[in-house]
Amino acid sequence: MPQRLVITGRSQEPRARFTEELRRLRNERGLSLRDLAKEVGWDSSQFSKMESGQTLGGPEVVQALDQYYGTPGLLVTLWELAVADPTQFREQYRRYMVLESEAMNLWHYAVSRPPGLLQTEAYAREALAAGGLEGRELDQQVEARVGRRELLKGADAPTFRSILSEAVLRTRLRDKREWRKQLEYLAAVSERPNVTLQVLPLDAGPHGLASTAMMFLRLLDSRTVAYAENDVHGELIEEPAMVERFQRTYDAVRDVALPPAESRTFILRMLEEMRCEPST
């Protein structure tokens, strides 16, 4: 008769299991977080946040831990499962929303739609409905998204830069009148002293953010975190090396975008073209 397997009692939830293994491996070595930082080369605060579940870290740091502990592939596998866990997206997004409300500076790149902070109510409703929301849930999400615009108002509002792919301005709402209002809102908000809008022309060519919307948040403690999102997945990135890499990519995109004044002219020109079209 085969020997019965022993049930470990460890968590079956991917994120919790990952953090448990991190703590177990460190404790088995009798290491403090500071000791681990000296051995592996990352800041001790990074390991503290990973072990407490505040962040999952990036693949580089997880691979380094696998190598140090002599557990080839174990931690990377657990990390991949945690990142892919559907509940992880909701947890990360909730944490992102808290950080966004506390940020001093925000930088954004938009792939195909205006950032939520700059959407009109009609745009938010059509975009969210296209994602499958309806009824009361749709109403609640529209109200929440429109409410986020208050973040950019007032004397203490953070500075906000958004680079809009030209595709954002070419993908209209079905209701042309509401689309005009969205363009008018973008033109108006671009005149605020704390808001900078730039348009990235389609003829700028391929670039490192072609399929990824990005938001960078500069926090009160001077840290910068990033949130990367596509149609099926979002990820809060706090590991400094990864944030820096994405920032370099963002800077390269900003360098080929139209300057703010030319970008506003671009938006106003699109508005003029629409005003020449018949209303629907």
Side-chain angles (χ1 to χ4, degrees):
M1 180 180 296
Q3 186 176 4
R4 292 183 62 185
L5 295 174
V6 177
I7 303 300
T8 65
R10 295 174 187 163
S11 176
Q12 301 303 301
E13 192 274 316
R15 186 187 187 94
R17 181 58 179 273
F18 177 64
T19 61
E20 285 177 6
E21 289 299 317
L22 291 176
R23 291 192 297 270
R24 181 183 67 82
L25 289 167
R26 181 174 60 82
N27 289 332
E28 284 183 353
R29 294 288 184 99
L31 298 170
S32 68
L33 290 167
R34 185 171 296 178
D35 293 334
L36 182 60
K38 290 179 181 178
E39 294 289 337
V40 182
W42 264 261
D43 190 87
S44 60
S45 64
Q46 173 72 15
F47 295 128
S48 175
K49 291 173 184 176
M50 290 172 67
E51 291 189 11
S52 65
Q54 293 182 50
T55 181
L56 292 175
E60 296 92 346
V61 65
V62 178
Q63 287 173 347
L65 288 169
D66 254 338
Q67 183 176 356
Y68 175 71
Y69 288 129
T71 54
L74 170 64
L75 293 177
V76 168
T77 298
L78 292 175
W79 177 82
E80 289 175 342
L81 292 172
V83 169
D85 180 19
T87 63
Q88 170 67 14
F89 172 76
R90 292 192 293 272
E91 291 176 7
Q92 288 196 353
Y93 189 69
R94 282 194 292 268
R95 176 163 167 73
Y96 163 76
M97 291 299 293
V98 171
L99 294 175
E100 182 186 81
S101 68
E102 299 172 348
M104 298 184 298
N105 309 100
L106 306 95
W107 306 273
H108 180 264
Y109 172 71
V111 176
S112 58
R113 62 186 60 174
L117 289 169
L118 300 183
Q119 290 180 12
T120 62
E121 180 176 347
Y123 192 101
R125 181 170 297 278
E126 188 165 325
L128 290 166
L133 294 182
E134 57 186 14
R136 180 172 175 78
E137 185 179 8
L138 175 60
D139 292 338
Q140 290 174 336
Q141 291 297 319
V142 169
E143 183 179 359
R145 181 167 294 186
V146 172
R148 288 172 61 198
R149 299 189 309 189
E150 296 300 312
L151 180 68
L152 299 180
K153 297 179 181 178
D156 297 326
T159 59
F160 179 55
R161 176 187 297 272
S162 185
I163 302 172
L164 309 177
S165 167
E166 185 179 338
V168 172
L169 304 175
R170 299 294 181 187
T171 307
R172 300 182 177 184
L173 294 177
R174 287 187 289 270
D175 187 324
K176 290 183 179 179
R177 286 171 296 186
E178 294 298 344
W179 178 237
R180 289 192 193 103
K181 292 179 182 178
Q182 176 63 71
L183 290 178
E184 289 169 348
Y185 186 76
L186 291 175
V189 79
S190 70
E191 295 188 291
R192 294 184 190 173
N194 64 314
V195 176
T196 301
L197 290 188
Q198 291 183 257
V199 174
L200 180 70
L202 292 175
D203 60 12
H207 56 86
L209 296 178
S211 60
T212 305
M214 292 289 305
M215 178 74 92
F216 298 91
L217 310 176
R218 181 75 166 176
L219 306 177
L220 292 172
D221 60 6
S222 296
R223 288 185 304 125
T224 299
V225 300
Y227 190 78
E229 186 174 19
N230 56 33
D231 285 340
V232 297
H233 180 68
E235 180 182 3
L236 181 63
I237 302 164
E238 298 184 78
E239 203 280 306
M242 291 187 68
V243 173
E244 183 178 354
R245 186 180 72 188
F246 278 116
Q247 278 190 296
R248 288 197 297 268
T249 303
Y250 182 88
D251 289 345
V253 172
R254 182 194 59 201
D255 289 345
V256 295
L258 297 178
E262 292 182 29
S263 295
R264 188 169 187 276
T265 299
F266 189 102
I267 295 171
L268 292 174
R269 186 167 62 246
M270 292 194 67
L271 260 173
E272 288 301 318
E273 292 172 358
M274 286 207 67
R275 290 192 179 103
C276 295
E277 298 176 6
S279 299
T280 57

